Amino acid sequence: MSLQKHDFPSWIQPDNPGPWGIFLQQIDRVAPYLGSLSRWIETLKRPKRALIVDIPIELDNGTIAHFEGYRVQHNLSLGPGKGGVRFHQDVCLSEVMALAGWMSIKNAAINLPYGGAKGGIRIDVSKYSRKELEKVTRRYTSEIGLIIGPQKDIPAPDVNTNPQVMAWMMDTYSQNIGTTATGVVTGKPIALGGSLGRVEATGRGVFVVACEAARDKGLSIPGARVAVQGFGNVGGTAARLFAEAGALVVAVADHTGIIFNANGLNIPALTDYVAEHKGVKGFPEAEAIEADKFWGAEVDILIPAALEQQITLENVDLIKAKIIVEGANGPTTPQADDVLSQKGVYLVPDVIANAGGVTVSYFEWVQDFSSFFWTEDEINQRLERIMRQAYRSISEVAQQHGVSLRTAAYIVACSRILQARDLRGLYP
């Protein structure tokens, strides 16, 4: 599907809109299903607020370095902004805008009381010390402090960020306002008001909806063959849960390489290996394969859990998986989406599949406000119930309209967002 004519913000190139262009195409596809609410659809094509900040720090060698940071609030009609912060050398405004838009859809699809937001810093974390990354984090937090807060916008971990980064963000914000504000971020260490179950939440959510999708397609998880792209927090957790359920995880790819074992990889051993060697490359109990063999592997379930735009027209024809469950944000381009649909591949979109993280972030936020914390079993039970309910309701909409799960998720989410916008009206 070609991109419709849009009035792009002046900072986006109309001929090369990047990930934001993908988000716009997805919004265009849902417009015919919104009825009277479609009069508000332009609301979704314009971020409410986009902040670009300069982050100067003194490096360990005494020189001054500058980094570019972003925080985008896409839509706040349903509540405060919610979305992660990623540290990556290729982060750009278009990407952060798209990620914020997907967070709006994700939160509304799961029916959480949040709008969508996202943040990022252009930095290659491998080139800087822990102390330098702390300085970058604290200065970034101070710069975006005007627009974040427990009732405004609540950041969380994303690519190359973790509980320690969230601890630095929480402390910086708290120092600036003069009181401890644990609810300003989620994904914090347990000792600082973090929630049990948060670290594994996204991967667990991927596994839960994959099981629901497999049930709908008559596929048994024990014995199912699985390929996972990305072996970080999301892909690693999902792989472990699949293996524990009796599935064979036969292929894993990450930024260091791609490995394959037709009899199933030893996931606990691979997890230990990755912790020591920082990647899957060289794992002794598997053979190395090329990217085309990974995408073309004979598997039942494929989990793209790395970065966006991984399944494209260049590799989509290779895919033999029956089910794709998107652990990453935006891993499939709209054009590849169409090909997968024509091939009969059942795709569970990111806005459902990887919503486990933001769901447990919501639990953490609620617990911080009450200073009353739940057990990990309670967290996991609540998470699994919400994920299953969201999948089921969106699946019913898909069947009702004869559309894909992605389009159904957008119908549900956009209707909720735009109904709120309609009821709230315009101010002034």
Side-chain angles (χ1 to χ4, degrees), residues 221-244:
I221 293 297
R225 297 171 66 81
V226 181
V228 180
Q229 185 202 28
F231 202 72
N233 182 35
V234 180
T237 298
R240 177 178 62 79
L241 293 171
F242 273 112
E244 290 175 355

Side-chain angles (χ1 to χ4, degrees), residues 54-392:
D54 176 46
I55 305 165
I57 69 160
E58 182 178 351
L59 299 178
D60 294 343
N61 63 11
T63 61
I64 305 300
H66 290 258
F67 302 91
E68 191 171 303
Y70 312 94
R71 187 69 185 176
V72 175
Q73 295 168 347
H74 173 258
N75 188 281
L76 305 181
S77 294
L78 289 171
K82 190 80 190 76
V85 175
R86 63 175 51 183
F87 291 180
H88 196 275
Q89 60 271 21
D90 296 327
V91 166
C92 64
L93 183 56
S94 171
E95 178 185 56
V96 179
M97 286 169 59
L99 292 167
W102 286 320
M103 285 304 303
S104 291
I105 300 301
K106 184 185 304 181
N107 290 329
I110 302 298
N111 207 19
L112 300 179
Y114 290 134
K118 205 76 176 186
I121 301 174
R122 288 180 68 89
I123 183 171
D124 183 346
V125 297
S126 67
K127 296 180 178 179
Y128 298 93
S129 69
R130 174 187 169 96
K131 189 62 178 178
E132 289 166 338
L133 293 174
E134 178 179 354
K135 289 180 179 180
V136 167
T137 300
R138 289 185 180 278
R139 184 58 184 255
Y140 170 73
T141 305
S142 290
E143 295 293 344
I144 67 169
L146 293 170
I147 64 171
I148 65 171
Q151 300 285 6
K152 292 181 179 180
D153 182 0
I154 306 104
D158 198 79
V159 176
N160 292 326
T161 55
N162 54 32
Q164 179 60 73
V165 172
M166 294 303 106
W168 290 331
M169 291 190 73
M170 187 274 282
D171 181 69
T172 303
Y173 180 84
S174 297
Q175 295 291 344
N176 287 343
I177 67 169
T179 187
T180 298
T182 55
V184 68
V185 296
T186 57
K188 301 181 297 298
I190 300 298
L192 294 178
S195 176
L196 296 170
R198 175 61 183 86
V199 173
E200 294 188 346
T202 306
R204 183 175 295 277
V206 168
F207 173 72
V208 168
V209 297
C211 290
E212 293 296 303
R215 184 178 295 110
D216 282 351
K217 293 301 171 182
L219 175 67
S220 173
I221 293 297
R225 297 171 66 81
V226 181
V228 180
Q229 185 202 28
F231 202 72
N233 182 35
V234 180
T237 298
R240 177 178 62 79
L241 293 171
F242 273 112
E244 290 175 355
L248 299 176
V249 181
V250 297
V252 171
D254 72 0
H255 65 286
T256 65
I258 308 171
I259 58 174
F260 178 83
N261 186 326
N263 297 318
L265 293 159
N266 183 332
I267 297 302
L270 179 59
T271 300
D272 292 341
Y273 181 88
V274 170
E276 181 180 353
H277 296 87
K278 310 304 179 187
V280 303
K281 183 178 180 179
F283 182 60
E285 300 177 30
E287 62 176 299
I289 60 172
E290 299 299 320
D292 58 344
K293 291 186 178 180
F294 172 81
W295 296 113
E298 296 279 356
V299 297
D300 300 299
I301 301 173
L302 172 62
I303 312 289
L307 296 172
E308 61 269 9
Q309 300 185 67
Q310 298 299 300
I311 301 176
T312 68
L313 288 178
E314 294 181 0
N315 60 16
V316 67
D317 287 330
L318 300 172
I319 292 175
K320 298 182 177 69
K322 302 179 181 68
I323 298 171
I324 295 176
V325 184
E326 295 183 333
N329 290 310
T332 310
T333 66
Q335 294 78 15
D337 225 353
D338 291 339
V339 175
L340 291 170
S341 179
Q342 292 164 8
K343 292 174 65 172
V345 178
Y346 191 66
L347 188 147
V348 185
D350 49 1
V351 292
I352 312 172
N354 67 18
V358 72
T359 301
V360 177
S361 278
Y362 168 59
F363 297 164
E364 180 178 334
W365 184 67
V366 170
Q367 292 171 92
D368 283 340
F369 275 121
S370 63
S371 296
F372 181 82
F373 293 86
W374 309 332
T375 67
E376 188 164 0
D377 284 344
E378 288 175 318
I379 295 288
N380 290 338
Q381 289 171 9
R382 292 170 191 260
L383 167 64
E384 292 178 15
R385 183 173 66 250
I386 287 176
M387 296 295 290
R388 289 194 179 98
Q389 288 175 342
Y391 173 86
R392 285 291 157 209

